[in-house]
Amino acid sequence: GKGHSHWNYEDLKRWSTDYSDCGGTKQSPIDVDTAQAIFSPDLRPIQLSGYSLPATKQLKLKNNGHTVVLDLPESLALTGGYAQQYRAAQLHLHWGSPSGPGSEHTVNGRRFAAEIHVVHYNTKYDSFTEAMVRPDGLAVLAAFLEVGHGENQYYHEILEHLLEIQEVGQETLVPGFNIAGLLPANLKFYFHYNGSLTTPPCYQTVKWTIFNQTLLLSHHQMSILVSTLRSPDDKLLQNNYRPVQNLHGRRVLASFQ
Ligand SMILES: NS(=O)(=O)c1c(F)c(F)c(SCCc2ccc(C(=O)O)cc2)c(F)c1NC1CCCCCCC1
Ligand SMILES: [Zn+2]
């Protein structure tokens, strides 16, 4: 959107001068110290509804200069796992470069190759823009991507279009597919904490869910992800992750032991 786009990942100190929430005490991402996570048996399995889209449904895929964003129809809903209902807005990715990983969250200090974020907003608010500024307004599902042996057919649906949107601002249409395939099969085991958008304006309005099971992409797929899109300074768009932020006493919950 307007105004969001003049920041970059090089000069992070500027974020909190330009956007006050970026200097807050409930910022994301964080390092998940699994030994400190609190087992909470009341954390129910996450349930997705309406995530399987027909190929006739065209979805907009855009290079916004900071990541690749797939706009999602509001028909995708998050039901289990959260006390209220959330609807999907968009999904995007964070990645590194050929020389290093680029997930935003880390687990016991380990950074994964990449990370997907599926952004939802609370349906009790009339719009995403209104929900974005409310403490219970946003829910983001996060999962880590690693390099494995086989080709991932679901990520192929997005990665095969990156060449069409190499330049900042370019967008293309992607036929619908089962968006749930971009997330782990096991939605029971996850970490949960209250945090923020990891980009300006850094609003502290996100209930984060980080799945324990990771996704596997082929080596070739990961190299497409980290070496295709260009950034506003026309260099390759790489390492689009924010450093981990201080917990400031926040507790991370775990749905499993
Ligand atoms: N991890 S995250 O969820 O905080 C996140 C990032 F880390 C992100 F880096 C991004 S992309 C940067 C923000 C942005 C810039 C331009 C445009 C546009 O031209 O359409 C749109 C957005 C990005 F879009 C998001 N998610 C957005 C947060 C930005 C404002 C609200 C839009 C939905 C969620
Ligand atoms: Zn993100």
Side-chain angles (χ1 to χ4, degrees):
K2 65 219 171 296
H4 295 315
S5 51
H6 74 263
W7 55 270
N8 60 45
Y9 284 101
E10 274 69 48
D11 125 20
L12 293 153
K13 283 175 297 302
R14 193 165 153 202
W15 286 25
S16 35
T17 50
D18 293 357
Y19 306 91
S20 57
D21 285 3
C22 296
T25 59
K26 289 173 60 182
Q27 289 293 290
S28 295
I30 61 165
D31 175 53
V32 176
D33 177 343
T34 57
Q36 305 278 333
I38 298 169
F39 170 54
S40 309
D42 54 322
L43 287 179
R44 309 311 316 140
I46 299 294
Q47 282 173 335
L48 312 173
S49 79
Y51 267 57
S52 190
L53 296 170
T56 48
K57 177 76 181 169
Q58 303 271 354
L59 303 173
K60 190 181 85 175
L61 188 73
K62 176 177 181 180
N63 172 351
N64 71 16
H66 304 280
T67 181
V68 54
V69 184
L70 183 69
D71 285 352
L72 296 172
E74 295 180 337
S75 54
L76 277 66
L78 198 47
T79 46
Y82 284 81
Q84 306 171 67
Q85 191 181 74
Y86 290 80
R87 288 197 179 285
Q90 53 109 295
L91 65 84
H92 61 272
L93 302 172
H94 298 268
W95 59 85
S97 74
S99 53
S103 66
E104 291 221 289
H105 290 88
T106 57
V107 179
N108 300 331
R110 176 186 170 192
R111 191 176 300 282
F112 293 79
E115 185 171 335
I116 182 173
H117 289 161
V118 189
V119 183
H120 302 73
Y121 70 95
N122 194 323
T123 52
K124 77 185 194 186
Y125 301 114
D126 295 338
S127 72
F128 183 94
T129 319
E130 206 215 317
M132 189 159 74
V133 296
R134 307 283 181 167
D136 60 350
L138 302 181
V140 181
L141 303 183
F144 297 117
L145 314 184
E146 296 184 278
V147 175
H149 290 292
E151 163 129 325
N152 186 306
Q153 60 168 30
Y154 297 101
Y155 279 84
H156 177 73
E157 300 290 328
I158 291 174
L159 297 173
E160 68 169 332
H161 295 282
L162 293 194
L163 275 171
E164 300 158 42
I165 56 169
Q166 287 186 68
E167 302 308 323
V168 177
Q170 284 188 313
E171 38 190 82
T172 189
L173 290 175
V174 170
F177 62 99
N178 183 10
I179 304 296
L182 299 172
L183 291 171
N186 180 334
L187 303 178
K188 273 169 53 83
F189 299 156
Y190 58 85
F191 298 102
H192 205 59
Y193 79 99
N194 292 325
S196 73
L197 296 174
T198 66
T199 178
C202 306
Y203 295 144
Q204 299 183 132
T205 57
V206 181
K207 291 186 177 306
W208 282 94
T209 294
I210 305 167
F211 292 110
N212 190 44
Q213 188 177 39
T214 64
L215 283 304
L216 296 179
L217 273 61
S218 69
H219 195 276
H220 180 240
Q221 285 181 305
M222 194 61 78
S223 71
I224 290 173
L225 176 60
V226 305
S227 299
T228 301
L229 300 187
R230 313 199 75 78
S231 58
D233 54 10
D234 214 28
K235 287 193 297 205
L236 278 178
L237 176 51
Q238 296 180 330
N239 301 307
N240 58 348
Y241 63 90
R242 187 190 192 186
V244 292
Q245 304 294 302
N246 195 299
L247 271 174
H248 292 292
R250 284 175 287 171
R251 291 285 194 226
V252 177
L253 305 181
S255 69
F256 63 104
Q257 275 182 328

